[in-house]
Amino acid sequence: MLFDNHGRQLRYLRLGVTERCNLRCFYCMPEEGLPWSNKKQLLSYEEMLRLVGILAKMGISKVRITGGEPFVRKDLMPFMADLSQIEGIEKLSITTNGTAPTRHIEALKAMGIHAVNLSLDTLNKERFHKITRRDEFDQVINFYQSLIDAGIRTKINTVVMEEHNLEDILPLVELTQKDPVNVRFIEEMPFNGGSKGYQKIDWNYKKILQLIAEKHPTIQKLDDHASSTSYNYQIPGARGSFGVIPAYSRSICGTCDRIRLTPKGDLMTCLYQNEGFSFRDFMRQGASDQDIQEKFMHFFKRRAKNGFEAEEQKSQPNTFESMATIGG
Ligand code: SAM
C-alpha cells in the first residue's frame, strides 16, 4: 500500500492523454483554444504504459483516462486495452465529453471499463451551444443513451455556473429517477486557461444542495466511500443518485487518494499545486524504473495537506491553467 506524508493512501491516477479538445467550454479554455503542445512534448503511449506499470507496482490500482478530450488522441482504444492488462490496475475508467462515435462504447465494454464519466452541463441544446461554443448536443445525448443502453456504469459531471445552467440542476437530478446514472454537480474552479479571473464562487455545494432539497425534501444521504470526491444523495425510489463535488470549497482533501500525470508527463499530487515535476524529461534522460519509483516516492512524501496549502505555494494565479492541460 502506498501512503503520502499525511497518512492518506494513494490509489488513484488520473492520466491526461491530450490537452486538445473539440469543445470550447468557456469555463475551461478561451475560444481560440490553448497553446497546444506538439506530439514530442506529450508522453508517448509507451511512456505512459511504463509509468503506469511502475505506479501499479507501488500501489496505484485505479486509472482514469482524461484530457483534453481523450478520444481526440489517435489510437486511444488499443492504448486503453494495453492499460487494462497491466497487473495491479483493477479499475480503468474514462472521462469524456461524449462527442466520440458511439461505436467506441462496445470496445470500452469489451475491455471491462469500470465507469464512464460524461461531462454534460445542460440538457438544453441552446445552452449547450452557449457553454461549449460547439453544436454537438445531439451527439452527446446519443452517446449518453448508448452508455445507459449498454449497461455501463455512467456518471454525469455538471459544472454549476451562475447565469448559465442553474435551470438544469433539477432536470438533471430528476434524470436519476429514470436512469441508473450518478449525476455530480461540480463547483466551478479557477482553472480556465486565462478565460477569466475570479476570487470566489457563489454557487458552492451547499447552495446547490439547498436548491435540490427545496424541490425534493425527501432526498436521502447515501454512504460515501472513504475517498469519495462527492457527497452523495438519492431521491427515494430513484434508479440513480446524485452528488455534489466541493472542488472549489476543498472540504474533501483530507481523504484525497488521487495523483495526476498531465499529458506532458508532469506529476501533480494536488490539483491546486504549482507546476509538477517532469517525468517525461526524467525518463528521456535515461532514468531507470528504480530511479522513477524513488522520484515518485519523493513527491508522494511531500504532498500538500490540502488545496489551500498547495495554492499558497503557487507562483502564478490558477486562472492561467486549464483543466485540459492539468488533466481534469
Ligand atoms: N474532455 C473530457 C471531458 O469533457 O470530460 C475530459 C477533460 S475535462 C477538462 C474534465 C472535466 O473538467 C470536465 O467535467 C469539465 O467540465 C471539468 N472542468 C473543466 N474546467 C473546469 C473548471 N474551471 N471548473 C470545474 N470543472 C472544470
Side-chain angles (χ1 to χ4, degrees), residues 157-184:
N157 288 344
T158 303
V159 180
V160 174
M161 297 157 289
E162 204 172 346
E163 290 175 27
H164 291 280
N165 65 349
L166 297 184
E167 52 276 77
D168 286 291
I169 296 176
L170 292 175
L172 278 160
V173 167
E174 285 152 15
L175 186 66
T176 68
Q177 294 180 293
K178 175 173 92 64
D179 291 337
V181 60
N182 177 223
V183 176
R184 289 123 41 100

mmCIF file of all heavy atoms in Angstrom, residues 157-184:
data_model
loop_
_atom_site.group_PDB
_atom_site.id
_atom_site.type_symbol
_atom_site.label_atom_id
_atom_site.label_comp_id
_atom_site.label_asym_id
_atom_site.label_seq_id
_atom_site.Cartn_x
_atom_site.Cartn_y
_atom_site.Cartn_z
ATOM 1 N N ASN A 157 -20.975 14.545 -15.121
ATOM 2 C CA ASN A 157 -20.354 15.644 -14.378
ATOM 3 C C ASN A 157 -20.891 16.966 -14.909
ATOM 4 O O ASN A 157 -20.785 17.239 -16.105
ATOM 5 C CB ASN A 157 -18.829 15.640 -14.575
ATOM 6 C CG ASN A 157 -18.174 14.500 -13.838
ATOM 7 O OD1 ASN A 157 -18.765 13.883 -12.950
ATOM 8 N ND2 ASN A 157 -16.943 14.207 -14.206
ATOM 9 N N THR A 158 -21.429 17.775 -14.025
ATOM 10 C CA THR A 158 -22.016 19.052 -14.421
ATOM 11 C C THR A 158 -21.375 20.178 -13.625
ATOM 12 O O THR A 158 -21.478 20.196 -12.389
ATOM 13 C CB THR A 158 -23.537 19.045 -14.134
ATOM 14 O OG1 THR A 158 -24.121 17.940 -14.818
ATOM 15 C CG2 THR A 158 -24.189 20.343 -14.563
ATOM 16 N N VAL A 159 -20.719 21.083 -14.298
ATOM 17 C CA VAL A 159 -20.156 22.250 -13.609
ATOM 18 C C VAL A 159 -21.293 23.261 -13.425
ATOM 19 O O VAL A 159 -21.997 23.582 -14.393
ATOM 20 C CB VAL A 159 -19.005 22.889 -14.429
ATOM 21 C CG1 VAL A 159 -18.427 24.093 -13.693
ATOM 22 C CG2 VAL A 159 -17.921 21.863 -14.719
ATOM 23 N N VAL A 160 -21.491 23.714 -12.213
ATOM 24 C CA VAL A 160 -22.599 24.636 -11.944
ATOM 25 C C VAL A 160 -22.123 26.075 -12.080
ATOM 26 O O VAL A 160 -21.168 26.489 -11.416
ATOM 27 C CB VAL A 160 -23.175 24.392 -10.530
ATOM 28 C CG1 VAL A 160 -24.222 25.437 -10.175
ATOM 29 C CG2 VAL A 160 -23.766 22.987 -10.457
ATOM 30 N N MET A 161 -22.798 26.813 -12.982
ATOM 31 C CA MET A 161 -22.354 28.178 -13.271
ATOM 32 C C MET A 161 -23.533 29.138 -13.250
ATOM 33 O O MET A 161 -24.472 28.981 -14.044
ATOM 34 C CB MET A 161 -21.697 28.217 -14.651
ATOM 35 C CG MET A 161 -20.454 27.373 -14.724
ATOM 36 S SD MET A 161 -20.107 26.902 -16.411
ATOM 37 C CE MET A 161 -21.383 25.735 -16.756
ATOM 38 N N GLU A 162 -23.439 30.082 -12.355
ATOM 39 C CA GLU A 162 -24.485 31.086 -12.261
ATOM 40 C C GLU A 162 -24.667 31.734 -13.640
ATOM 41 O O GLU A 162 -23.695 31.932 -14.374
ATOM 42 C CB GLU A 162 -24.006 32.146 -11.258
ATOM 43 C CG GLU A 162 -25.119 32.894 -10.647
ATOM 44 C CD GLU A 162 -24.607 33.793 -9.533
ATOM 45 O OE1 GLU A 162 -23.459 33.620 -9.091
ATOM 46 O OE2 GLU A 162 -25.384 34.651 -9.121
ATOM 47 N N GLU A 163 -25.912 32.022 -13.986
ATOM 48 C CA GLU A 163 -26.257 32.664 -15.268
ATOM 49 C C GLU A 163 -26.079 31.747 -16.474
ATOM 50 O O GLU A 163 -26.205 32.191 -17.607
ATOM 51 C CB GLU A 163 -25.434 33.944 -15.501
ATOM 52 C CG GLU A 163 -25.831 35.067 -14.571
ATOM 53 C CD GLU A 163 -24.935 36.277 -14.726
ATOM 54 O OE1 GLU A 163 -24.386 36.472 -15.813
ATOM 55 O OE2 GLU A 163 -24.816 37.013 -13.741
ATOM 56 N N HIS A 164 -25.718 30.483 -16.259
ATOM 57 C CA HIS A 164 -25.531 29.612 -17.426
ATOM 58 C C HIS A 164 -26.334 28.320 -17.370
ATOM 59 O O HIS A 164 -26.868 27.893 -18.382
ATOM 60 C CB HIS A 164 -24.051 29.282 -17.609
ATOM 61 C CG HIS A 164 -23.262 30.466 -18.017
ATOM 62 N ND1 HIS A 164 -23.223 30.910 -19.317
ATOM 63 C CD2 HIS A 164 -22.512 31.327 -17.292
ATOM 64 C CE1 HIS A 164 -22.475 31.991 -19.375
ATOM 65 N NE2 HIS A 164 -22.031 32.272 -18.158
ATOM 66 N N ASN A 165 -26.402 27.681 -16.201
ATOM 67 C CA ASN A 165 -27.099 26.386 -16.196
ATOM 68 C C ASN A 165 -27.800 26.055 -14.875
ATOM 69 O O ASN A 165 -28.055 24.886 -14.610
ATOM 70 C CB ASN A 165 -26.138 25.253 -16.595
ATOM 71 C CG ASN A 165 -25.035 25.063 -15.568
ATOM 72 O OD1 ASN A 165 -24.848 25.876 -14.663
ATOM 73 N ND2 ASN A 165 -24.314 23.963 -15.701
ATOM 74 N N LEU A 166 -28.135 27.071 -14.098
ATOM 75 C CA LEU A 166 -28.826 26.775 -12.833
ATOM 76 C C LEU A 166 -30.159 26.086 -13.103
ATOM 77 O O LEU A 166 -30.593 25.225 -12.332
ATOM 78 C CB LEU A 166 -29.055 28.061 -12.034
ATOM 79 C CG LEU A 166 -27.791 28.809 -11.574
ATOM 80 C CD1 LEU A 166 -28.174 30.012 -10.720
ATOM 81 C CD2 LEU A 166 -26.864 27.883 -10.795
ATOM 82 N N GLU A 167 -30.801 26.445 -14.230
ATOM 83 C CA GLU A 167 -32.096 25.832 -14.543
ATOM 84 C C GLU A 167 -31.968 24.370 -14.930
ATOM 85 O O GLU A 167 -32.953 23.673 -15.076
ATOM 86 C CB GLU A 167 -32.852 26.618 -15.626
ATOM 87 C CG GLU A 167 -32.099 26.923 -16.898
ATOM 88 C CD GLU A 167 -31.224 28.183 -16.811
ATOM 89 O OE1 GLU A 167 -30.135 28.088 -16.190
ATOM 90 O OE2 GLU A 167 -31.585 29.196 -17.401
ATOM 91 N N ASP A 168 -30.723 23.873 -15.080
ATOM 92 C CA ASP A 168 -30.521 22.462 -15.416
ATOM 93 C C ASP A 168 -30.351 21.577 -14.181
ATOM 94 O O ASP A 168 -30.372 20.351 -14.295
ATOM 95 C CB ASP A 168 -29.259 22.320 -16.286
ATOM 96 C CG ASP A 168 -29.519 22.804 -17.698
ATOM 97 O OD1 ASP A 168 -30.282 22.124 -18.410
ATOM 98 O OD2 ASP A 168 -28.998 23.871 -18.080
ATOM 99 N N ILE A 169 -30.164 22.194 -13.027
ATOM 100 C CA ILE A 169 -29.866 21.376 -11.845
ATOM 101 C C ILE A 169 -30.996 20.393 -11.555
ATOM 102 O O ILE A 169 -30.768 19.175 -11.458
ATOM 103 C CB ILE A 169 -29.564 22.273 -10.616
ATOM 104 C CG1 ILE A 169 -28.288 23.092 -10.865
ATOM 105 C CG2 ILE A 169 -29.413 21.421 -9.348
ATOM 106 C CD1 ILE A 169 -27.937 24.075 -9.766
ATOM 107 N N LEU A 170 -32.229 20.903 -11.479
ATOM 108 C CA LEU A 170 -33.339 19.999 -11.122
ATOM 109 C C LEU A 170 -33.622 18.969 -12.217
ATOM 110 O O LEU A 170 -33.756 17.772 -11.907
ATOM 111 C CB LEU A 170 -34.579 20.812 -10.747
ATOM 112 C CG LEU A 170 -34.422 21.604 -9.436
ATOM 113 C CD1 LEU A 170 -35.644 22.486 -9.177
ATOM 114 C CD2 LEU A 170 -34.192 20.662 -8.250
ATOM 115 N N PRO A 171 -33.680 19.359 -13.499
ATOM 116 C CA PRO A 171 -33.881 18.312 -14.524
ATOM 117 C C PRO A 171 -32.804 17.228 -14.493
ATOM 118 O O PRO A 171 -33.085 16.058 -14.700
ATOM 119 C CB PRO A 171 -33.828 19.095 -15.848
ATOM 120 C CG PRO A 171 -34.225 20.485 -15.487
ATOM 121 C CD PRO A 171 -33.733 20.710 -14.093
ATOM 122 N N LEU A 172 -31.579 17.615 -14.184
ATOM 123 C CA LEU A 172 -30.515 16.604 -14.124
ATOM 124 C C LEU A 172 -30.694 15.687 -12.914
ATOM 125 O O LEU A 172 -30.492 14.477 -12.997
ATOM 126 C CB LEU A 172 -29.140 17.280 -14.090
ATOM 127 C CG LEU A 172 -28.617 17.708 -15.470
ATOM 128 C CD1 LEU A 172 -27.533 18.770 -15.346
ATOM 129 C CD2 LEU A 172 -28.083 16.514 -16.266
ATOM 130 N N VAL A 173 -31.101 16.271 -11.792
ATOM 131 C CA VAL A 173 -31.389 15.444 -10.614
ATOM 132 C C VAL A 173 -32.523 14.477 -10.948
ATOM 133 O O VAL A 173 -32.488 13.288 -10.613
ATOM 134 C CB VAL A 173 -31.757 16.330 -9.402
ATOM 135 C CG1 VAL A 173 -32.369 15.505 -8.280
ATOM 136 C CG2 VAL A 173 -30.531 17.074 -8.896
ATOM 137 N N GLU A 174 -33.525 14.998 -11.657
ATOM 138 C CA GLU A 174 -34.706 14.166 -11.959
ATOM 139 C C GLU A 174 -34.414 13.096 -13.011
ATOM 140 O O GLU A 174 -35.097 12.067 -13.073
ATOM 141 C CB GLU A 174 -35.875 15.089 -12.343
ATOM 142 C CG GLU A 174 -36.431 15.757 -11.068
ATOM 143 C CD GLU A 174 -37.078 17.122 -11.273
ATOM 144 O OE1 GLU A 174 -37.375 17.468 -12.435
ATOM 145 O OE2 GLU A 174 -37.278 17.841 -10.257
ATOM 146 N N LEU A 175 -33.356 13.288 -13.757
ATOM 147 C CA LEU A 175 -32.926 12.251 -14.704
ATOM 148 C C LEU A 175 -32.575 10.961 -13.960
ATOM 149 O O LEU A 175 -32.738 9.848 -14.479
ATOM 150 C CB LEU A 175 -31.700 12.765 -15.486
ATOM 151 C CG LEU A 175 -31.162 11.912 -16.626
ATOM 152 C CD1 LEU A 175 -32.171 11.828 -17.777
ATOM 153 C CD2 LEU A 175 -29.840 12.502 -17.146
ATOM 154 N N THR A 176 -32.132 11.100 -12.725
ATOM 155 C CA THR A 176 -31.735 9.914 -11.942
ATOM 156 C C THR A 176 -32.957 9.069 -11.545
ATOM 157 O O THR A 176 -32.808 7.932 -11.127
ATOM 158 C CB THR A 176 -30.967 10.297 -10.655
ATOM 159 O OG1 THR A 176 -31.867 10.970 -9.755
ATOM 160 C CG2 THR A 176 -29.788 11.190 -10.941
ATOM 161 N N GLN A 177 -34.151 9.651 -11.668
ATOM 162 C CA GLN A 177 -35.351 8.859 -11.371
ATOM 163 C C GLN A 177 -35.613 7.867 -12.494
ATOM 164 O O GLN A 177 -36.123 6.781 -12.279
ATOM 165 C CB GLN A 177 -36.562 9.787 -11.186
ATOM 166 C CG GLN A 177 -36.415 10.664 -9.950
ATOM 167 C CD GLN A 177 -37.590 11.591 -9.751
ATOM 168 O OE1 GLN A 177 -37.823 12.502 -10.545
ATOM 169 N NE2 GLN A 177 -38.342 11.367 -8.684
ATOM 170 N N LYS A 178 -35.219 8.264 -13.707
ATOM 171 C CA LYS A 178 -35.477 7.438 -14.896
ATOM 172 C C LYS A 178 -34.311 6.505 -15.204
ATOM 173 O O LYS A 178 -34.504 5.357 -15.567
ATOM 174 C CB LYS A 178 -35.715 8.405 -16.076
ATOM 175 C CG LYS A 178 -35.872 7.763 -17.426
ATOM 176 C CD LYS A 178 -36.273 8.785 -18.484
ATOM 177 C CE LYS A 178 -35.135 9.432 -19.256
ATOM 178 N NZ LYS A 178 -34.318 8.594 -20.093
ATOM 179 N N ASP A 179 -33.081 7.016 -15.055
ATOM 180 C CA ASP A 179 -31.897 6.258 -15.495
ATOM 181 C C ASP A 179 -30.981 5.897 -14.319
ATOM 182 O O ASP A 179 -30.853 6.678 -13.371
ATOM 183 C CB ASP A 179 -31.068 7.094 -16.494
ATOM 184 C CG ASP A 179 -31.778 7.289 -17.825
ATOM 185 O OD1 ASP A 179 -32.665 6.470 -18.149
ATOM 186 O OD2 ASP A 179 -31.433 8.250 -18.532
ATOM 187 N N PRO A 180 -30.280 4.772 -14.439
ATOM 188 C CA PRO A 180 -29.314 4.404 -13.387
ATOM 189 C C PRO A 180 -28.010 5.174 -13.554
ATOM 190 O O PRO A 180 -26.969 4.614 -13.901
ATOM 191 C CB PRO A 180 -29.110 2.898 -13.618
ATOM 192 C CG PRO A 180 -29.375 2.710 -15.076
ATOM 193 C CD PRO A 180 -30.366 3.749 -15.491
ATOM 194 N N VAL A 181 -28.055 6.456 -13.327
ATOM 195 C CA VAL A 181 -26.893 7.321 -13.548
ATOM 196 C C VAL A 181 -26.587 8.088 -12.267
ATOM 197 O O VAL A 181 -27.486 8.358 -11.468
ATOM 198 C CB VAL A 181 -27.168 8.300 -14.731
ATOM 199 C CG1 VAL A 181 -28.372 9.185 -14.457
ATOM 200 C CG2 VAL A 181 -25.951 9.143 -15.068
ATOM 201 N N ASN A 182 -25.308 8.404 -12.058
ATOM 202 C CA ASN A 182 -24.909 9.225 -10.918
ATOM 203 C C ASN A 182 -24.539 10.607 -11.461
ATOM 204 O O ASN A 182 -23.555 10.743 -12.174
ATOM 205 C CB ASN A 182 -23.718 8.559 -10.200
ATOM 206 C CG ASN A 182 -23.174 9.366 -9.049
ATOM 207 O OD1 ASN A 182 -21.976 9.491 -8.884
ATOM 208 N ND2 ASN A 182 -24.042 9.939 -8.247
ATOM 209 N N VAL A 183 -25.376 11.598 -11.168
ATOM 210 C CA VAL A 183 -25.127 12.966 -11.647
ATOM 211 C C VAL A 183 -24.384 13.719 -10.554
ATOM 212 O O VAL A 183 -24.839 13.757 -9.407
ATOM 213 C CB VAL A 183 -26.459 13.689 -11.964
ATOM 214 C CG1 VAL A 183 -26.198 15.129 -12.365
ATOM 215 C CG2 VAL A 183 -27.220 12.962 -13.068
ATOM 216 N N ARG A 184 -23.236 14.308 -10.896
ATOM 217 C CA ARG A 184 -22.461 15.033 -9.886
ATOM 218 C C ARG A 184 -22.301 16.495 -10.279
ATOM 219 O O ARG A 184 -21.835 16.796 -11.376
ATOM 220 C CB ARG A 184 -21.086 14.398 -9.704
ATOM 221 C CG ARG A 184 -21.151 13.044 -8.990
ATOM 222 C CD ARG A 184 -20.559 11.931 -9.769
ATOM 223 N NE ARG A 184 -19.345 12.316 -10.444
ATOM 224 C CZ ARG A 184 -18.119 12.030 -9.989
ATOM 225 N NH1 ARG A 184 -17.950 11.374 -8.866
ATOM 226 N NH2 ARG A 184 -17.069 12.371 -10.679
#
